Amino acid sequence: MAVFGVEKWFSMDSEKSPDIKTKNKKLRRQRMLEFTIAGSLLIAFGLLFVNWVSDKYLDKEIGILEKELAEFRASDTLEAKRSRPLKGNAAWDYQLIEWVLSPRADWQNKNPKHLPKSELQQDDSFSQQQLILLNKFSVDFKPPIADEAALIDDKYASLYPLVHTALKKQSCEWGYPIERLFDSKLDWMAVESQSMKQFASFMALHSLTKSPDERLQIAVDIIAFGQDYSRHQNPTAVFKSAFVKDLGYRLLEKTLGLPISNKALKAALKRLNSIGLIDGLRVFKCLPLGHKSFLTRLRYQQSGASPNSVTKSWIDSKPYGLRSRSTIFLAWEWSYSKALFAQIHDYQALPFSQRKAKKEALMKSLDGSKSVFGKIVVPLCVLFLDFDYKPNCKHEMLKILIAAKLHNMEKGTWPQSLDALSPYAPKGFAKDGYTDSSQPYKLLQKGERFFVYSVYEDTVDQNAQVDERIGKELWQTGDLALSLATKAASKKPKQKPKK
């Protein structure tokens, strides 16, 4: 009986077990479905909440951006030079040079009405051979041979008086809205166009046909021309202005070795005092404003909302063909750019002696950035770090070199210290920027040359040795030096060959 009971129990349990398993399986599936639905709803509501928070964050930041743009325009004093005698916009004169040498695409069908009249036409741009000659000359400043010199037509010299007039005008507004900093339609003017540098090279080459006094004036004109170009709100254009100014500085240094009148030297010194310096801090104000305006523009495109004051002029244009669909993504990019530019701002606020370690840390932190637009902005930031130091130092050093030449012409000796040059600079000279503006630029008479020099980036005094290959480390650069011959080099008599 016992055995029969056990068998009955086993057989009854076996019959019911498939139903129980099926029921449990259905129950598990139902619970999984419920959890999936609940999880999906939770994720959806979470994304909606994060999107709402991101939307509010962007609204707040765009409101701040509009105030920052208004404050920047109100405080930006580079647009006007009240000391200049002529009214009008100098940029319009400079744009005629662009119209001739490298016209913008939208100028092909309709010429700008504001451009001054000129005998030159759009098809009068430099040929490839002429550009090669100009680029070669801008590197070594060696006078071209007769065949090469014939390539430069004197008709381009008709543009030089235009530059001379433009340099006397009170305003220089390039018409480049900072809100459209990353607009590919406007980048042609600031980024792709090489007309300003090309014409500066032509001015330098054309000066070889002039007297030393006139050549000195042209060199200063090139420097002033580059400074006007630095009033651009596009940082890349400002960076190019440093190359234009450096061309003028190098021509000026070479010209000072010629017999120049006392009157021309004093006039050049007075003009250098009035030209001004490249404002690197202004560039770093433009970059974040332009980048955040670019993100604002993308947000307008993805939302279809009514344009605000930042985006109202962008309805028909598409930057880089991008259209974002994620408010969360834009908010993350905005937050990243704020952190990035905060680091850059902290770097710019440091004196030069403290920048070495900060720069190395900053470069490492920028490597491997996961930001999509950071890949555009970060290279620009790295490019512009300290770019204004060298041309601004050269500007002051050349003022000292001119004063030293005047001292030599009037007293027959080269100055031993900057104090001896006080009659030519009643307000004194600015100090070496590479020493946190705490130490003066140095004077040195060595051999048959007189040097004015800065300790440069490594801040080590190398006694005017300028070889930038001195050290293997990044910051071992030698000195930044300008010089003049103290006397004409004597020619050694030819030795008779030994028998």
Side-chain angles (χ1 to χ4, degrees):
M1 292 293 293
V3 173
F4 175 76
V6 172
E7 289 178 353
K8 186 177 180 181
W9 174 84
F10 177 79
S11 62
M12 289 177 64
D13 185 64
S14 299
E15 290 175 0
K16 292 181 179 180
S17 59
D19 294 335
I20 294 173
K21 289 180 180 180
T22 303
K23 187 176 181 181
N24 290 340
K25 188 180 293 185
K26 288 181 178 179
L27 184 61
R28 285 196 299 270
R29 287 177 179 175
Q30 184 178 352
R31 288 176 178 174
M32 286 180 64
L33 181 60
E34 291 174 351
F35 282 130
T36 301
I37 293 173
S40 299
L41 288 174
L42 187 62
I43 292 172
F45 280 114
L47 288 174
L48 286 173
F49 176 76
V50 174
N51 191 78
W52 178 80
V53 172
S54 299
D55 210 37
K56 294 298 180 183
Y57 172 78
L58 289 173
D59 284 339
K60 179 182 177 182
E61 292 296 328
I62 290 172
I64 296 173
L65 172 62
E66 289 181 320
K67 292 180 181 179
E68 290 175 341
L69 286 167
E71 291 172 357
F72 176 81
R73 293 191 188 96
S75 62
D76 190 18
T77 58
L78 284 178
E79 297 302 332
K81 282 280 188 179
R82 301 302 177 192
S83 58
R84 293 180 173 181
L86 301 180
K87 292 184 179 180
N89 188 1
W92 290 0
D93 298 291
Y94 299 140
Q95 284 177 5
L96 179 59
I97 298 172
E98 183 186 352
W99 179 80
V100 172
L101 299 182
S102 55
R104 306 177 206 170
D106 59 333
W107 286 355
Q108 298 294 338
N109 300 323
K110 186 177 180 180
N111 298 332
K113 294 181 179 179
H114 64 257
L115 295 183
K117 293 182 179 180
S118 172
E119 297 177 359
L120 296 176
Q121 302 299 319
Q122 286 185 330
D123 56 358
D124 288 328
S125 57
F126 292 127
S127 67
Q128 190 63 33
Q129 286 180 304
Q130 290 172 327
L131 290 177
I132 292 173
L133 173 60
L134 290 173
N135 290 335
K136 179 182 176 183
F137 176 75
S138 67
V139 172
D140 55 25
F141 275 66
K142 291 182 180 179
I145 60 178
D147 292 342
E148 290 179 331
L151 289 172
I152 298 298
D153 197 324
D154 282 341
K155 65 183 178 183
Y156 298 107
S158 64
L159 292 174
Y160 175 67
L162 191 75
V163 173
H164 200 259
T165 300
L167 292 174
K168 296 178 182 178
K169 291 189 175 179
Q170 292 179 353
S171 69
C172 185
E173 300 178 13
W174 288 96
Y176 193 111
I178 193 171
E179 296 91 338
R180 300 180 67 174
L181 185 61
F182 294 96
D183 188 336
S184 57
K185 287 188 175 182
L186 290 178
D187 280 348
W188 174 266
M189 175 174 63
V191 181
E192 296 184 21
S193 176
Q194 298 289 335
S195 56
M196 302 304 169
K197 186 178 178 182
Q198 291 168 2
F199 190 70
S201 299
F202 170 76
M203 291 171 65
L205 181 58
H206 189 69
S207 73
L208 299 183
T209 64
K210 304 295 183 180
S211 68
D213 283 10
E214 291 174 309
R215 193 182 302 185
L216 184 70
Q217 179 184 344
I218 292 175
V220 179
D221 281 344
I222 293 174
I223 297 169
F225 176 48
Q227 181 62 21
D228 267 4
Y229 198 41
S230 77
R231 297 181 185 189
H232 217 294
Q233 290 186 353
N234 185 295
T236 306
V238 181
F239 188 72
K240 285 187 176 183
S241 73
F243 288 94
V244 174
K245 293 189 76 172
D246 190 66
L247 194 71
Y249 292 141
R250 289 188 289 126
L251 178 63
L252 180 55
E253 182 185 9
K254 282 188 170 292
T255 304
L256 288 175
L258 303 175
I260 303 172
S261 69
N262 185 288
K263 181 179 178 181
L265 285 169
K266 289 183 177 180
L269 185 58
K270 183 178 179 180
R271 285 194 65 197
L272 284 177
N273 280 321
S274 66
I275 287 174
L277 304 175
I278 295 176
D279 190 348
L281 288 175
R282 180 175 176 269
V283 171
F284 279 100
K285 288 180 181 178
C286 292
L287 267 174
L289 292 174
H291 181 58
K292 288 186 286 189
S293 296
F294 175 75
L295 295 179
T296 302
R297 178 181 175 184
L298 290 183
R299 187 192 182 210
Y300 161 72
Q301 287 183 332
Q302 64 94 14
S303 66
S306 299
N308 58 18
S309 61
V310 179
T311 60
K312 63 183 178 181
S313 61
W314 299 341
I315 296 175
D316 298 326
S317 41
K318 298 178 181 179
Y320 308 111
L322 298 174
R323 289 181 70 86
S324 173
R325 298 295 179 188
S326 172
T327 300
I328 300 173
F329 165 73
L330 288 177
W332 183 86
E333 285 284 348
W334 195 298
S335 177
Y336 171 82
S337 67
K338 281 186 65 177
L340 167 67
F341 286 113
Q343 291 184 65
I344 299 294
H345 182 270
D346 292 343
Y347 178 88
Q348 291 293 107
L350 291 173
F352 192 85
S353 63
Q354 299 178 28
R355 289 189 174 190
K356 179 181 177 181
K358 180 68 175 178
K359 186 172 187 177
E360 292 172 349
L362 180 61
M363 297 283 278
K364 289 180 180 179
S365 70
L366 298 181
D367 290 340
S369 168
K370 295 181 180 179
S371 167
V372 174
F373 300 116
K375 294 177 182 178
I376 301 172
V377 179
V378 168
L380 285 174
C381 293
V382 174
L383 183 67
F384 293 131
L385 291 179
D386 308 323
F387 86 101
D388 55 329
Y389 262 77
K390 187 173 182 179
N392 289 348
C393 283
K394 274 193 171 184
H395 192 96
E396 195 68 18
M397 290 161 62
L398 277 164
K399 288 162 56 178
I400 297 173
L401 199 62
I402 292 174
K405 186 175 176 70
L406 282 168
H407 183 279
N408 179 258
M409 289 173 64
E410 295 175 359
K411 300 186 178 180
T413 59
W414 293 96
Q416 300 298 311
S417 68
L418 290 176
D419 292 337
L421 301 179
S422 56
Y424 311 103
K427 295 182 180 180
F429 296 101
K431 294 182 178 180
D432 188 352
Y434 290 103
T435 66
D436 303 341
S437 298
S438 62
Q439 300 295 322
Y441 291 98
K442 298 180 180 294
L443 308 181
L444 178 66
Q445 188 170 352
K446 183 169 62 174
E448 296 181 347
R449 299 200 72 82
F450 175 81
F451 292 88
V452 177
Y453 69 98
S454 159
V455 295
Y456 205 28
E457 292 185 350
D458 61 3
T459 66
V460 177
D461 189 347
Q462 308 281 0
N463 288 319
Q465 186 177 355
V466 299
D467 188 353
E468 296 192 3
R469 297 168 296 174
I470 281 179
K472 294 181 180 180
E473 298 297 328
L474 175 66
W475 292 75
Q476 291 179 319
T477 55
D479 295 333
L480 178 64
L482 304 176
S483 66
L484 286 175
T486 55
K487 59 181 179 179
S490 59
K491 294 183 178 180
K492 296 181 179 179
K494 293 183 178 180
Q495 296 181 353
K496 294 182 179 181
K498 295 181 180 179
K499 294 183 180 180

